[in-house]
Amino acid sequence: ASKTSSAAMRGALAGIVRACGAANAKASRRAALAVHSGGGSHRTVYADAVASGPNAMYLENLYIQYQADPSKLDPKWCEYFASLEGGVAVSGGSAVVSGGSTMSVVPGSSGAGGLQNLIRAYQVRGHEAADLDPLGMNQWRTWSEKGITANPPELEPSYHGFTSADMDKTFQVGLPGLPQNATLREIMDHLKGTYCSSIGVEYMHIGDGTKLDWIRARVENPAFRPKEKAKLMKIYKSLIEVDTFEQFLNTQYKTTKRFGVDGGEAAVAGINAAIEKAAELGLDEVVVGMPHRGRLNILTNVVGKPLVQMFAEFKGTHYDFENIVEKSQSDDWLFAGDVKYHLGTSNVREFENGKSIVATLEANPSHLETVNTVTLGRTRAKQYYLGNTPETQKRVMPVILHGDASFAGQGVCYETMQLAHVKEFDVGGTIHVIINNQVGFTTDPVDDRSTMYCSDLGKGFNTPILHVNGDDPVAVTSAFELAAEWRQTWNSDIIIDVVCYRRFGHNETDAPEYTQPLLYKVINKHPRAEAVFGQKLLASGIATQEELDAVKTSIWQKHEDAFKAADNFKPDETMGNWVATKWEGFVRPTDTTSAHPTGVDLELLQQIGRKLCETPEGFKLHPGLKRQLKKKLEDVEAGEAIDWATAEAMGFATLLLEGNHVRITGQDVQRGTFAHRHCVVKDQANGSDHCFLNNLNLGPQETFVARNSILAEYAVLGFELGFSYENPRALCIWEAQFGDFANTAQVMTDQFISAGEHKWLQQSGLIMLLPHGYMGQGAEHSSCRLERFLQMSDDDEDDVPAFQNDFGRQQVQRANWQVMNISTPANYFHALRRQMHRDFRKPMVVASPKNLFRLRQCVSPLEDMGPRSRFQRLIGERDPEILSNADKVDRLIFCTGKLYYELVAEREKRGLKNVAIVTLEQIAPFPFDRVKTTMEMFPNVDVGDGVHPGNIIWCQEEPKNMGAWSYVRPRLVTTAREGLEKDMVMRYVGRRAAASPATGYPKLHNAEQEALVQEAILGHDDASWSVQRPSSLLGHQT
């Protein structure tokens, strides 16, 4: 044998040895060596079988099948593998072919073995030769620089030892649609028709033989693609609905951006087919997430948004501009709205088969793939509230549409697929639809990925991939119906890669010829998909021209009628057609709301506290946790020193007992990054879990979920947001490992969480817990970048506040979110409960602590969570002696979070009673009224002379260009000006402006911290205003 053949032979031998497993490794090795070094018969059997690399792969695949079910293989293969496993030398075999002659069964030679390899080659690589590109260019098959070439040699009979003389020989085969004895020519035609036509099935990477057989049984069945007239005409009608919508808008609004689906129309018809098929298999609801391309068509033809309303949006009659402006003046709140190709809706959709489903399309910004896990989160919530069983997963199905460039390039796609089978994130499978335009904005496919297909990500998750020609709506429909059946059967993801094109540029006014001149020469000459399909129906005699014209005329007239009716469309005054029914009774930012208490009966809190310290009998708790629970129980009974984790658990427990679902996710939420929460504990003997909050036994309660998530902030935060959208009675919390890790989810924060209500009237009560605080841990473990969240807060620094009752509640109701840095366990308890004890929902960003969990001063009496207690947006001076001598205070410090305790410690060390320290617990929206009251309490504090600062100080740990300073400074000034008629100049005490949030040198950190604390408490002697910065470690004070 040649060196190449010997190398391939050794490689294949190694593969078989690996496959046979450890138990038979010695026997396998003996058999392999015998075959390789033995006499002529051994060499013929083995060398012919695996002399080439591809055949080695086939051999391993066959062996996997042999292990799963030997009855499905040729008996000679079973004999071969049995001998190899047993260490017995393998003799040559034979199989009967036409005419009674015998042919070797060895793979790589003609005959039964060669035929089996040929069939397997089409199953594995047939998609590489499939007719997938409507434009006939197949650019992705010619990237030789990436090692990608066209025409796999394994698909040629000659590769397997056949010659032209073998083409009319008959073989015994078991392919559906072929007689048991078929000629090689017939077999080849069948294989090409199955695997190389307008559907390319990529599935042999799946490691489950049962699933492989399931797919094979369907795609190899001649009935896979419908041929009856009724079905074909139904597909044609669905395609014309999609096509007419685009053509009608192109006629009426030729220069308006609509991001149409022109070129990929069949995909929309396919989605309808998938939903209808799934409805037959138990589906009740579908949740769709998608980018802007094709969204308007999906809205009307899949979700069922009325054409009249859609056309009203184009005409601008869907809202009353004068009314919006008038209401903004009276309500002091303005709904921003969004462009129509970002909007979503929810609707009941009925199908011809009599089935109906609820279809929801998620609103999405132009960040193409951001909506992916939002879609999955809402889906999971729907499944949870339907009963949270495996069966309810079949009742709600997510469909996510992708672009080819974005699916290949956006990391969140990987994160989305990684969630597929993670507990509490599993939605029972998603249908992923790639609208493969073969261009990304102006980027050619060769530049937007390294792989042959944009869908290759799916192979890493054992996901079947159906590539389909977008000009063949029958093939598209068949692929989508198969996808629906797969999802409902296997509860797993599936990808459909609809290879199509983008008829216009990135939008309808773009000129794509600048960057893709050759591609658009082809596209401009290419007929629309409906014309291609219509011609096929005519040529095959399925339909007459009159029948096709009747369908087109009827649908076009429907659009004409709706277009005229849009002139009289009456807009929804509340803009409320998006809100789901579960949100009935919840108010908008402009509606009247009322207060709801958050305090809880003290006896109930103690009962809860005891349950938080109990484990089942026989449960082997970690010794350290035993000591912690013993101390916790003592504190609960005493009721004087409730720590942060206990207050949080009590907040969760009371909400659960009130019927609210609570879920918290993130990388380390069960234990907590700082080993403080321990809401789920492990049996040290057997590893079993115990969740205290699901075992309260204090009456009916909802379920608590604490789930450590995958290491993907972007995806998991989006998932929790989607869950929170579905039902306002679910408290959804995402906790970052460290606060600054939230920056990997910045898109979700910017586009959805901070602006979702303003753009889409979509409320959410999502909580983000972002551990924050300067403890000498360096740049990446100190700051949650509080300044970014405050910059996105929408309260105006110069808006004159109304210093009156209920100001705080009305202020929060109109704000886009709340930003907190809370300093006491009790106030955190109330903040959690306040999220659910309102008739509206707002996101809440919490700069949560790291060292306060074990700080002995950071505890709360149980009474602070009792019936007469509530959340405090600002906590004033806590020293009774200083409060009773307020006129002696000449220095007033405002701060937030854990810095308060360091300032108090310094004050106590120096025995000072002239310094008052106040914490802003809710930084945004800014508590103008509480700040005004605080300033009034200390009348002898110098406010400055209008140019130079006095002794009202903002103290922070963060550098001056970070943290809350830029946000609070103008609002503190506004409070003094409008509330006290004083021209106040704030004094800044904190780190100097910097590029990095924190130093990595512990000694430098300590020096900075000591300097800012001392400067805040003591100040410096500067009667002449000459010292702008008392220390090089600190920032300028004005």
Side-chain angles (χ1 to χ4, degrees):
S2 68
K3 291 182 179 179
T4 302
S5 296
S6 298
M9 180 162 54
R10 285 193 297 272
L13 270 171
I16 289 295
V17 171
R18 288 194 304 271
C20 288
N24 294 316
K26 291 183 179 179
S28 302
R29 198 174 297 114
R30 287 196 302 271
L33 290 170
V35 170
H36 182 55
S37 59
S41 64
H42 291 168
R43 183 198 174 283
T44 300
V45 169
Y46 186 75
D48 286 349
V50 292
S52 65
N55 277 339
M57 180 179 67
Y58 298 150
L59 193 60
E60 290 195 51
N61 280 332
L62 288 172
Y63 182 68
I64 291 171
Q65 288 188 70
Y66 166 75
Q67 288 181 308
D69 189 353
S71 66
K72 293 187 177 180
L73 281 184
D74 185 295
K76 292 294 182 180
W77 277 116
C78 296
E79 180 184 338
Y80 175 80
F81 289 124
S83 299
L84 192 62
E85 286 183 331
V88 179
V90 185
S91 60
S94 62
V96 178
V97 295
S98 175
S101 62
T102 61
M103 300 288 288
S104 169
V105 301
V106 178
S109 66
S110 61
L115 178 60
Q116 195 160 23
N117 276 352
L118 177 62
I119 294 171
R120 179 53 52 90
Y122 273 86
Q123 293 168 341
V124 174
R125 302 195 67 184
H127 57 87
E128 295 182 45
D131 178 22
L132 299 179
D133 187 356
L135 306 177
M137 301 176 76
N138 298 300
Q139 299 177 64
W140 66 89
R141 292 175 178 162
T142 58
W143 297 338
S144 57
E145 70 275 18
K146 300 182 182 182
I148 298 171
T149 57
N151 305 316
E154 296 94 324
L155 302 184
E156 294 299 324
S158 58
Y159 185 88
H160 305 278
F162 294 103
T163 67
S164 57
D166 297 319
M167 296 305 291
D168 293 315
K169 290 182 179 179
T170 59
F171 295 80
Q172 289 185 0
V173 292
L175 294 173
L178 283 179
Q180 186 173 4
N181 293 299
T183 67
L184 182 58
R185 192 180 310 278
E186 291 172 328
I187 294 169
M188 286 293 296
D189 289 343
H190 182 81
L191 291 173
K192 289 180 179 178
T194 299
Y195 291 105
C196 298
S197 61
S198 48
I199 299 181
V201 187
E202 195 173 6
Y203 67 111
M204 293 303 290
H205 55 275
I206 300 173
D208 188 325
T210 306
K211 292 178 180 177
L212 291 177
D213 288 343
W214 187 93
I215 295 174
R216 186 184 302 117
R218 282 154 179 79
V219 300
E220 292 184 353
N221 191 323
F224 177 50
R225 302 189 199 192
K227 298 178 178 63
E228 63 276 12
K229 178 174 180 176
K231 178 71 170 180
L232 296 178
M233 289 302 293
K234 180 179 179 180
I235 294 172
Y236 180 75
K237 181 183 177 184
S238 182
L239 182 66
I240 294 299
E241 292 273 11
V242 178
D243 184 80
T244 300
F245 179 82
E246 300 295 351
Q247 296 231 55
F248 188 88
L249 287 176
N250 193 44
T251 301
Q252 300 292 342
Y253 299 99
K254 198 168 187 65
T255 60
T256 300
K257 292 181 183 181
R258 55 185 168 85
F259 296 97
V261 75
D262 306 77
E265 298 92 340
V268 180
I271 291 170
N272 268 329
I275 296 172
E276 186 171 9
K277 181 70 174 180
E280 295 173 359
L281 301 172
L283 184 72
D284 293 328
E285 298 191 52
V286 63
V287 185
V288 181
M290 67 177 299
H292 44 287
R293 184 165 310 285
R295 174 175 287 266
L296 303 184
N297 214 312
I298 294 287
L299 275 167
T300 55
N301 285 307
V302 175
V303 181
K305 183 174 183 175
L307 275 173
V308 173
Q309 184 179 347
M310 179 61 70
F311 291 147
E313 291 176 7
F314 273 90
K315 291 184 175 186
T317 59
H318 67 298
Y319 65 92
D320 186 334
F321 171 72
E322 299 295 337
N323 181 58
I324 288 178
V325 173
E326 183 179 333
K327 283 182 68 63
S328 73
Q329 292 173 348
S330 61
D331 298 336
D332 195 25
W333 192 84
L334 180 64
F335 168 55
D338 203 350
V339 292
K340 48 189 165 291
Y341 40 80
H342 288 172
L343 300 176
T345 194
S346 187
N347 191 49
V348 177
R349 176 74 194 281
E350 296 183 356
F351 291 96
E352 291 181 7
N353 62 7
K355 301 287 185 179
S356 64
I357 57 100
V358 176
T360 299
L361 177 64
E362 292 290 346
N364 190 41
S366 288
H367 294 66
L368 302 175
E369 303 288 346
T370 304
V371 77
N372 294 359
T373 57
V374 178
T375 304
L376 298 187
R378 186 190 289 273
T379 301
R380 181 75 186 91
K382 286 178 178 289
Q383 293 168 347
Y384 176 85
Y385 282 105
L386 283 172
N388 199 28
T389 66
E391 189 57 35
T392 61
Q393 287 192 330
K394 296 184 186 298
R395 294 175 59 187
V396 189
M397 177 178 77
V399 176
I400 302 179
L401 281 73
H402 312 270
D404 48 322
S406 60
F407 191 76
Q410 294 279 294
V412 72
C413 295
Y414 174 88
E415 296 180 17
T416 300
M417 298 197 73
Q418 190 64 269
L419 287 173
H421 299 296
V422 177
K423 195 170 183 181
E424 300 301 342
F425 297 94
D426 186 348
V427 294
T430 301
I431 297 180
H432 294 275
V433 181
I434 300 174
I435 308 295
N436 188 346
N437 292 314
Q438 305 188 69
V439 63
F441 204 154
T442 64
T443 303
D444 292 317
V446 69
D447 296 320
D448 71 25
R449 61 181 185 266
S450 297
T451 57
M452 177 185 291
Y453 295 117
C454 60
S455 58
D456 281 347
L457 168 65
K459 290 194 283 191
F461 296 93
N462 288 329
T463 303
I465 303 167
L466 307 176
H467 308 279
V468 59
N469 188 317
D471 262 5
D472 187 346
V474 177
V476 170
T477 297
S478 300
F480 273 87
E481 290 180 341
L482 176 65
E485 191 178 357
W486 167 273
R487 191 270 176 184
Q488 293 297 85
T489 301
W490 298 107
N491 300 327
S492 297
D493 288 5
I494 186 168
I495 296 172
I496 306 174
D497 173 24
V498 183
V499 184
C500 49
Y501 56 92
R502 190 187 66 195
R503 181 162 291 278
F504 305 109
H506 178 65
N507 60 68
E508 286 71 18
T509 65
D510 200 7
E513 291 81 4
Y514 285 133
T515 51
Q516 279 80 30
L518 301 182
L519 175 65
Y520 274 86
K521 282 181 182 177
V522 178
I523 290 175
N524 291 336
K525 296 177 182 178
H526 192 74
R528 298 181 73 90
E530 61 87 10
V532 174
F533 186 40
Q535 192 56 44
K536 286 181 181 178
L537 293 176
L538 293 173
S540 63
I542 295 292
T544 64
Q545 187 66 56
E546 289 75 18
E547 289 175 305
L548 301 185
D549 289 345
V551 172
K552 296 172 76 171
T553 301
S554 172
I555 293 173
W556 186 273
Q557 187 60 50
K558 181 175 71 173
H559 284 68
E560 290 277 13
D561 294 343
F563 189 74
K564 293 176 183 176
D567 291 332
N568 300 315
F569 179 77
K570 292 184 178 180
D572 177 7
E573 295 292 337
T574 64
M575 301 289 183
N577 56 6
W578 164 251
V579 180
T581 56
K582 295 182 181 64
W583 287 78
E584 290 176 357
F586 282 76
V587 301
R588 299 295 177 79
T590 57
D591 297 333
T592 302
T593 185
S594 55
H596 300 275
T598 55
V600 177
D601 179 73
L602 292 178
E603 184 178 346
L604 176 59
L605 288 175
Q606 283 197 313
Q607 289 177 329
I608 290 170
R610 295 181 190 113
K611 293 294 182 181
L612 296 175
C613 303
E614 290 181 4
T615 54
E617 187 176 347
F619 191 89
K620 281 188 68 69
L621 199 62
H622 188 282
L625 283 176
K626 274 187 179 179
R627 292 191 295 272
Q628 290 182 40
L629 292 186
K630 181 175 181 293
K631 175 66 165 59
K632 185 193 292 273
L633 183 58
E634 292 171 358
D635 292 340
V636 167
E637 296 294 356
E640 292 299 326
I642 304 300
D643 64 19
W644 198 278
T646 305
E648 178 187 73
M650 286 180 170
F652 292 161
T654 55
L655 292 173
L656 293 168
L657 292 170
E658 291 166 356
N660 300 287
H661 177 43
V662 178
R663 55 180 282 136
I664 179 170
T665 65
Q667 280 113 54
D668 306 293
V669 298
Q670 292 183 345
R671 188 201 75 164
T673 301
F674 310 99
H676 69 283
R677 183 173 290 122
H678 293 294
C679 61
V680 177
V681 293
K682 299 281 186 180
D683 187 300
Q684 298 297 299
N686 57 32
S688 62
D689 290 349
H690 174 70
C691 179
F692 298 99
L693 287 164
N694 281 327
N695 292 275
L696 296 173
N697 299 318
L698 295 173
Q701 70 163 88
E702 250 286 5
T703 305
F704 173 72
V705 169
R707 182 59 53 188
N708 295 338
S709 72
I710 67 171
L711 190 62
E713 292 85 3
Y714 193 170
V716 178
L717 178 59
F719 192 98
E720 295 309 316
L721 177 67
F723 200 108
S724 74
Y725 279 161
E726 175 60 18
N727 194 313
R729 291 169 182 83
L731 180 65
C732 298
I733 304 168
W734 175 75
E735 183 175 60
Q737 194 176 59
F738 284 89
D740 55 322
F741 294 170
N743 58 17
T744 66
Q746 194 70 39
V747 176
M748 202 65 68
T749 304
D750 293 352
Q751 312 307 130
F752 278 88
I753 301 173
S754 69
E757 184 177 22
H758 198 204
K759 293 189 294 187
W760 308 317
L761 292 176
Q762 191 159 264
Q763 293 188 15
S764 166
L766 176 72
I767 297 176
M768 297 172 64
L769 298 181
L770 310 178
H772 174 89
Y774 282 58
M775 298 167 61
Q777 294 179 302
E780 276 69 60
H781 296 90
S782 298
S783 175
C784 73
R785 309 309 296 251
L786 201 58
E787 64 277 0
R788 296 180 178 173
F789 300 100
L790 293 172
Q791 184 200 30
M792 288 187 283
S793 298
D794 65 357
D795 58 326
D796 190 332
E797 64 191 47
D798 293 314
D799 196 3
V800 179
F803 300 109
Q804 60 187 25
N805 293 335
D806 297 331
F807 164 72
R809 185 174 66 254
Q810 294 169 6
Q811 184 192 35
V812 170
Q813 188 183 356
R814 286 171 170 76
N816 62 328
W817 60 10
Q818 310 145 98
V819 180
M820 312 277 197
N821 192 359
I822 299 170
S823 65
T824 74
N827 219 26
Y828 178 48
F829 167 88
H830 286 293
L832 293 173
R833 287 183 51 77
R834 189 175 72 150
Q835 281 295 92
M836 306 302 289
H837 280 248
R838 292 168 167 162
D839 45 11
F840 61 90
R841 294 288 180 263
K842 295 289 172 180
M844 184 168 77
V845 180
V846 181
S848 53
K850 296 185 294 186
N851 72 327
L852 297 189
F853 301 129
R854 294 174 181 82
L855 188 69
R856 63 181 181 83
Q857 293 89 350
C858 185
V859 292
S860 296
L862 210 56
E863 187 178 1
D864 283 359
M865 295 178 271
R868 288 178 296 277
S869 60
R870 59 184 299 176
F871 176 74
Q872 300 181 72
R873 291 174 288 138
L874 177 149
I875 299 181
E877 174 55 58
R878 306 176 203 184
D879 186 321
E881 184 180 347
I882 293 176
L883 277 177
S884 62
N885 296 280
D887 58 331
K888 295 182 180 180
V889 171
D890 58 13
R891 196 167 185 83
L892 175 59
I893 303 172
F894 289 92
C895 64
T896 66
K898 67 102 170 172
L899 182 58
Y900 166 79
Y901 295 96
E902 297 175 40
L903 292 169
V904 168
E906 183 70 17
R907 184 178 68 180
E908 290 178 352
K909 183 175 76 173
R910 297 181 180 275
L912 301 177
K913 296 297 182 181
N914 66 318
V915 181
I917 304 173
V918 175
T919 58
L920 284 186
E921 305 285 298
Q922 175 183 292
I923 308 173
F926 190 76
F928 290 99
D929 53 335
R930 297 290 188 261
V931 171
K932 173 179 176 286
T933 302
T934 300
M935 289 180 174
E936 289 173 331
M937 288 178 64
F938 305 104
N940 294 325
V941 178
D942 180 11
V943 299
D945 62 4
V947 177
H948 304 99
N951 286 322
I952 298 185
I953 298 160
W954 175 259
C955 184
Q956 67 176 39
E957 299 182 291
E958 302 86 354
K960 191 175 183 181
N961 57 319
M962 302 177 194
W965 167 246
S966 296
Y967 176 86
V968 300
R969 178 189 189 182
R971 289 164 177 81
L972 287 162
V973 170
T974 296
T975 304
R977 183 184 71 240
E978 303 298 335
L980 305 175
E981 297 183 349
K982 293 183 177 181
D983 190 7
M984 181 178 70
V985 179
M986 286 296 300
R987 185 182 295 272
Y988 169 82
V989 176
R991 284 175 170 83
R992 62 185 295 164
S996 174
T999 178
Y1001 298 124
K1003 290 181 180 179
L1004 181 55
H1005 162 78
N1006 292 335
E1008 290 173 341
Q1009 202 75 1
E1010 182 180 353
L1012 72 88
V1013 169
Q1014 286 189 11
E1015 176 62 25
I1017 294 296
L1018 298 175
H1020 61 279
D1021 185 11
D1022 186 26
S1024 63
W1025 310 99
S1026 60
V1027 182
Q1028 289 287 317
R1029 184 162 64 188
S1031 166
S1032 63
L1033 301 178
L1034 303 180
H1036 286 273
Q1037 294 199 348
T1038 55

